[in-house]
Amino acid sequence: MIVCANFKANKTRQETQAYMAVVESFVSANDISDTIIVFPPYTALEHLSRNVLIGVQNAYPVRNGAYTGEIALEQLEEFDIKTILIGHSERRHIIGETQEQIAAKFRFFAEQGFVIVYCVGEPLAIREAGHDALMDYIDKQFDGIDLNYSDLIIAYEPVWAIGTGLTPSNSDIEQVHRELRSKTAAPLLYGGSVKTDNAGEIMALENVDGVLVGSAALSANDFCEMIVQASELNG
Ligand code: 13P
């Protein structure tokens, strides 16, 4: 299983250090073999971890240069960051990233050999338009994306489920993941209102290989509880 925490614009550097201390010691004390990834804000990046992968929530697809307000490959290399989140719905819908920009970012970081957690997911109006509309929408989010990339992880995150407490039914998650599985061999995560009381059940679904968790992962103890639930599903 793959268990990821996306902090978004939450936590200071100090809070992140305290959080990582809890999660790292939990992972080693419990011999966790699952892949654990934490995406802190840029200001908290450092050589934080031995047994937990640290990724960035975004970066600009260049080595360095005149891109005010962005960070790029050179700044990530300083901290040995080789994992990136691309295509998150908050970047698509709030920041306004286009599929073209997202695909360019994907190409650049794939060429650099990054682990890419690539997010797709539909807004509510598309979900309400039915399954075919939903899959057409998601297909367009794969424009310019190499689904055979070896270090690819896909996260299915319905926009209407993010931060709302709403989740699709288990069978709806399975239906989308089954279709995603027919397109790619990459591990498939579910994200959107995952919490300690539904994480185990969701990870046990067919073609669900892990979870990408926002608000409920801000508590280190709750995140550790979800890691336990993932590890219980092994073997
Ligand atoms: P929530 O878990 O807060 O719904 O956020 C999910 C998400 O966007 C993770 O990337």
Side-chain angles (χ1 to χ4, degrees), residues 98-114:
T98 64
Q99 186 59 32
E100 248 176 29
Q101 291 169 322
I102 289 167
K105 200 173 286 189
F106 185 98
R107 272 194 303 278
F108 179 84
F109 286 103
E111 272 164 23
Q112 304 299 326
F114 272 56

PDB file of all heavy atoms in Angstrom, residues 98-114:
ATOM      1  N   THR A  98      -3.379  24.778 -16.701  1.00  0.00           N
ATOM      2  CA  THR A  98      -4.040  24.121 -17.834  1.00  0.00           C
ATOM      3  C   THR A  98      -3.466  22.715 -18.012  1.00  0.00           C
ATOM      4  O   THR A  98      -2.373  22.402 -17.511  1.00  0.00           O
ATOM      5  CB  THR A  98      -3.791  24.895 -19.131  1.00  0.00           C
ATOM      6  OG1 THR A  98      -2.371  24.843 -19.409  1.00  0.00           O
ATOM      7  CG2 THR A  98      -4.226  26.349 -19.007  1.00  0.00           C
ATOM      8  N   GLN A  99      -4.191  21.891 -18.779  1.00  0.00           N
ATOM      9  CA  GLN A  99      -3.692  20.548 -19.052  1.00  0.00           C
ATOM     10  C   GLN A  99      -2.341  20.609 -19.778  1.00  0.00           C
ATOM     11  O   GLN A  99      -1.463  19.787 -19.543  1.00  0.00           O
ATOM     12  CB  GLN A  99      -4.718  19.753 -19.862  1.00  0.00           C
ATOM     13  CG  GLN A  99      -4.358  18.290 -20.071  1.00  0.00           C
ATOM     14  CD  GLN A  99      -4.186  17.519 -18.762  1.00  0.00           C
ATOM     15  OE1 GLN A  99      -4.851  17.811 -17.757  1.00  0.00           O
ATOM     16  NE2 GLN A  99      -3.286  16.546 -18.736  1.00  0.00           N
ATOM     17  N   GLU A 100      -2.177  21.629 -20.635  1.00  0.00           N
ATOM     18  CA  GLU A 100      -0.894  21.779 -21.350  1.00  0.00           C
ATOM     19  C   GLU A 100       0.267  22.043 -20.381  1.00  0.00           C
ATOM     20  O   GLU A 100       1.338  21.453 -20.503  1.00  0.00           O
ATOM     21  CB  GLU A 100      -0.977  22.976 -22.303  1.00  0.00           C
ATOM     22  CG  GLU A 100      -0.959  22.574 -23.736  1.00  0.00           C
ATOM     23  CD  GLU A 100      -1.150  23.757 -24.670  1.00  0.00           C
ATOM     24  OE1 GLU A 100      -0.759  24.888 -24.312  1.00  0.00           O
ATOM     25  OE2 GLU A 100      -1.679  23.513 -25.748  1.00  0.00           O
ATOM     26  N   GLN A 101       0.018  22.932 -19.424  1.00  0.00           N
ATOM     27  CA  GLN A 101       1.072  23.226 -18.437  1.00  0.00           C
ATOM     28  C   GLN A 101       1.356  21.993 -17.576  1.00  0.00           C
ATOM     29  O   GLN A 101       2.510  21.694 -17.251  1.00  0.00           O
ATOM     30  CB  GLN A 101       0.638  24.385 -17.523  1.00  0.00           C
ATOM     31  CG  GLN A 101       0.572  25.727 -18.238  1.00  0.00           C
ATOM     32  CD  GLN A 101      -0.103  26.797 -17.393  1.00  0.00           C
ATOM     33  OE1 GLN A 101      -1.074  26.528 -16.670  1.00  0.00           O
ATOM     34  NE2 GLN A 101       0.403  28.009 -17.459  1.00  0.00           N
ATOM     35  N   ILE A 102       0.288  21.301 -17.231  1.00  0.00           N
ATOM     36  CA  ILE A 102       0.439  20.113 -16.387  1.00  0.00           C
ATOM     37  C   ILE A 102       1.233  19.039 -17.133  1.00  0.00           C
ATOM     38  O   ILE A 102       2.130  18.399 -16.577  1.00  0.00           O
ATOM     39  CB  ILE A 102      -0.962  19.607 -15.962  1.00  0.00           C
ATOM     40  CG1 ILE A 102      -1.564  20.592 -14.954  1.00  0.00           C
ATOM     41  CG2 ILE A 102      -0.913  18.199 -15.419  1.00  0.00           C
ATOM     42  CD1 ILE A 102      -3.043  20.383 -14.685  1.00  0.00           C
ATOM     43  N   ALA A 103       0.928  18.877 -18.424  1.00  0.00           N
ATOM     44  CA  ALA A 103       1.632  17.863 -19.229  1.00  0.00           C
ATOM     45  C   ALA A 103       3.112  18.242 -19.379  1.00  0.00           C
ATOM     46  O   ALA A 103       3.994  17.368 -19.349  1.00  0.00           O
ATOM     47  CB  ALA A 103       0.966  17.711 -20.591  1.00  0.00           C
ATOM     48  N   ALA A 104       3.392  19.544 -19.513  1.00  0.00           N
ATOM     49  CA  ALA A 104       4.792  19.985 -19.636  1.00  0.00           C
ATOM     50  C   ALA A 104       5.544  19.691 -18.340  1.00  0.00           C
ATOM     51  O   ALA A 104       6.698  19.244 -18.340  1.00  0.00           O
ATOM     52  CB  ALA A 104       4.849  21.475 -19.964  1.00  0.00           C
ATOM     53  N   LYS A 105       4.871  19.931 -17.233  1.00  0.00           N
ATOM     54  CA  LYS A 105       5.470  19.655 -15.925  1.00  0.00           C
ATOM     55  C   LYS A 105       5.736  18.149 -15.777  1.00  0.00           C
ATOM     56  O   LYS A 105       6.785  17.716 -15.311  1.00  0.00           O
ATOM     57  CB  LYS A 105       4.483  20.133 -14.846  1.00  0.00           C
ATOM     58  CG  LYS A 105       5.088  20.364 -13.505  1.00  0.00           C
ATOM     59  CD  LYS A 105       4.087  20.984 -12.555  1.00  0.00           C
ATOM     60  CE  LYS A 105       3.827  22.446 -12.874  1.00  0.00           C
ATOM     61  NZ  LYS A 105       3.018  23.115 -11.841  1.00  0.00           N
ATOM     62  N   PHE A 106       4.753  17.364 -16.207  1.00  0.00           N
ATOM     63  CA  PHE A 106       4.889  15.905 -16.133  1.00  0.00           C
ATOM     64  C   PHE A 106       6.104  15.442 -16.944  1.00  0.00           C
ATOM     65  O   PHE A 106       6.935  14.672 -16.460  1.00  0.00           O
ATOM     66  CB  PHE A 106       3.614  15.234 -16.671  1.00  0.00           C
ATOM     67  CG  PHE A 106       3.608  13.738 -16.513  1.00  0.00           C
ATOM     68  CD1 PHE A 106       2.957  13.141 -15.453  1.00  0.00           C
ATOM     69  CD2 PHE A 106       4.282  12.924 -17.417  1.00  0.00           C
ATOM     70  CE1 PHE A 106       2.971  11.759 -15.295  1.00  0.00           C
ATOM     71  CE2 PHE A 106       4.304  11.553 -17.272  1.00  0.00           C
ATOM     72  CZ  PHE A 106       3.639  10.975 -16.210  1.00  0.00           C
ATOM     73  N   ARG A 107       6.201  15.952 -18.194  1.00  0.00           N
ATOM     74  CA  ARG A 107       7.320  15.534 -19.076  1.00  0.00           C
ATOM     75  C   ARG A 107       8.663  15.880 -18.437  1.00  0.00           C
ATOM     76  O   ARG A 107       9.579  15.059 -18.403  1.00  0.00           O
ATOM     77  CB  ARG A 107       7.213  16.232 -20.433  1.00  0.00           C
ATOM     78  CG  ARG A 107       6.367  15.486 -21.447  1.00  0.00           C
ATOM     79  CD  ARG A 107       6.574  16.031 -22.856  1.00  0.00           C
ATOM     80  NE  ARG A 107       6.301  17.452 -22.956  1.00  0.00           N
ATOM     81  CZ  ARG A 107       5.088  17.981 -23.090  1.00  0.00           C
ATOM     82  NH1 ARG A 107       4.018  17.196 -23.120  1.00  0.00           N
ATOM     83  NH2 ARG A 107       4.918  19.288 -23.179  1.00  0.00           N
ATOM     84  N   PHE A 108       8.765  17.092 -17.911  1.00  0.00           N
ATOM     85  CA  PHE A 108      10.043  17.532 -17.338  1.00  0.00           C
ATOM     86  C   PHE A 108      10.437  16.649 -16.152  1.00  0.00           C
ATOM     87  O   PHE A 108      11.563  16.147 -16.078  1.00  0.00           O
ATOM     88  CB  PHE A 108       9.951  18.999 -16.897  1.00  0.00           C
ATOM     89  CG  PHE A 108      11.221  19.510 -16.284  1.00  0.00           C
ATOM     90  CD1 PHE A 108      12.258  19.977 -17.078  1.00  0.00           C
ATOM     91  CD2 PHE A 108      11.397  19.504 -14.898  1.00  0.00           C
ATOM     92  CE1 PHE A 108      13.444  20.439 -16.503  1.00  0.00           C
ATOM     93  CE2 PHE A 108      12.581  19.959 -14.330  1.00  0.00           C
ATOM     94  CZ  PHE A 108      13.605  20.424 -15.130  1.00  0.00           C
ATOM     95  N   PHE A 109       9.516  16.446 -15.221  1.00  0.00           N
ATOM     96  CA  PHE A 109       9.893  15.698 -14.017  1.00  0.00           C
ATOM     97  C   PHE A 109      10.013  14.199 -14.291  1.00  0.00           C
ATOM     98  O   PHE A 109      10.776  13.509 -13.610  1.00  0.00           O
ATOM     99  CB  PHE A 109       8.950  16.035 -12.856  1.00  0.00           C
ATOM    100  CG  PHE A 109       9.253  17.407 -12.301  1.00  0.00           C
ATOM    101  CD1 PHE A 109       8.447  18.495 -12.608  1.00  0.00           C
ATOM    102  CD2 PHE A 109      10.389  17.623 -11.535  1.00  0.00           C
ATOM    103  CE1 PHE A 109       8.756  19.773 -12.138  1.00  0.00           C
ATOM    104  CE2 PHE A 109      10.711  18.892 -11.068  1.00  0.00           C
ATOM    105  CZ  PHE A 109       9.902  19.964 -11.372  1.00  0.00           C
ATOM    106  N   ALA A 110       9.344  13.700 -15.313  1.00  0.00           N
ATOM    107  CA  ALA A 110       9.551  12.301 -15.720  1.00  0.00           C
ATOM    108  C   ALA A 110      10.962  12.151 -16.295  1.00  0.00           C
ATOM    109  O   ALA A 110      11.668  11.188 -15.996  1.00  0.00           O
ATOM    110  CB  ALA A 110       8.489  11.881 -16.735  1.00  0.00           C
ATOM    111  N   GLU A 111      11.379  13.128 -17.103  1.00  0.00           N
ATOM    112  CA  GLU A 111      12.750  13.075 -17.653  1.00  0.00           C
ATOM    113  C   GLU A 111      13.792  13.096 -16.533  1.00  0.00           C
ATOM    114  O   GLU A 111      14.873  12.540 -16.672  1.00  0.00           O
ATOM    115  CB  GLU A 111      13.014  14.275 -18.575  1.00  0.00           C
ATOM    116  CG  GLU A 111      12.600  14.022 -20.009  1.00  0.00           C
ATOM    117  CD  GLU A 111      12.492  15.307 -20.813  1.00  0.00           C
ATOM    118  OE1 GLU A 111      13.126  16.318 -20.430  1.00  0.00           O
ATOM    119  OE2 GLU A 111      11.744  15.297 -21.816  1.00  0.00           O
ATOM    120  N   GLN A 112      13.452  13.728 -15.430  1.00  0.00           N
ATOM    121  CA  GLN A 112      14.379  13.787 -14.283  1.00  0.00           C
ATOM    122  C   GLN A 112      14.256  12.559 -13.394  1.00  0.00           C
ATOM    123  O   GLN A 112      14.911  12.469 -12.358  1.00  0.00           O
ATOM    124  CB  GLN A 112      14.096  15.038 -13.423  1.00  0.00           C
ATOM    125  CG  GLN A 112      14.156  16.350 -14.183  1.00  0.00           C
ATOM    126  CD  GLN A 112      15.525  16.608 -14.794  1.00  0.00           C
ATOM    127  OE1 GLN A 112      16.542  16.239 -14.214  1.00  0.00           O
ATOM    128  NE2 GLN A 112      15.537  17.202 -15.975  1.00  0.00           N
ATOM    129  N   GLY A 113      13.366  11.630 -13.742  1.00  0.00           N
ATOM    130  CA  GLY A 113      13.233  10.381 -12.993  1.00  0.00           C
ATOM    131  C   GLY A 113      12.487  10.511 -11.674  1.00  0.00           C
ATOM    132  O   GLY A 113      12.640   9.682 -10.777  1.00  0.00           O
ATOM    133  N   PHE A 114      11.664  11.545 -11.542  1.00  0.00           N
ATOM    134  CA  PHE A 114      10.902  11.724 -10.302  1.00  0.00           C
ATOM    135  C   PHE A 114       9.799  10.667 -10.156  1.00  0.00           C
ATOM    136  O   PHE A 114       9.257  10.182 -11.150  1.00  0.00           O
ATOM    137  CB  PHE A 114      10.226  13.106 -10.291  1.00  0.00           C
ATOM    138  CG  PHE A 114      11.092  14.194  -9.719  1.00  0.00           C
ATOM    139  CD1 PHE A 114      12.350  14.452 -10.235  1.00  0.00           C
ATOM    140  CD2 PHE A 114      10.637  14.963  -8.649  1.00  0.00           C
ATOM    141  CE1 PHE A 114      13.160  15.459  -9.706  1.00  0.00           C
ATOM    142  CE2 PHE A 114      11.430  15.968  -8.107  1.00  0.00           C
ATOM    143  CZ  PHE A 114      12.692  16.225  -8.622  1.00  0.00           C
TER     144      PHE A 114
END
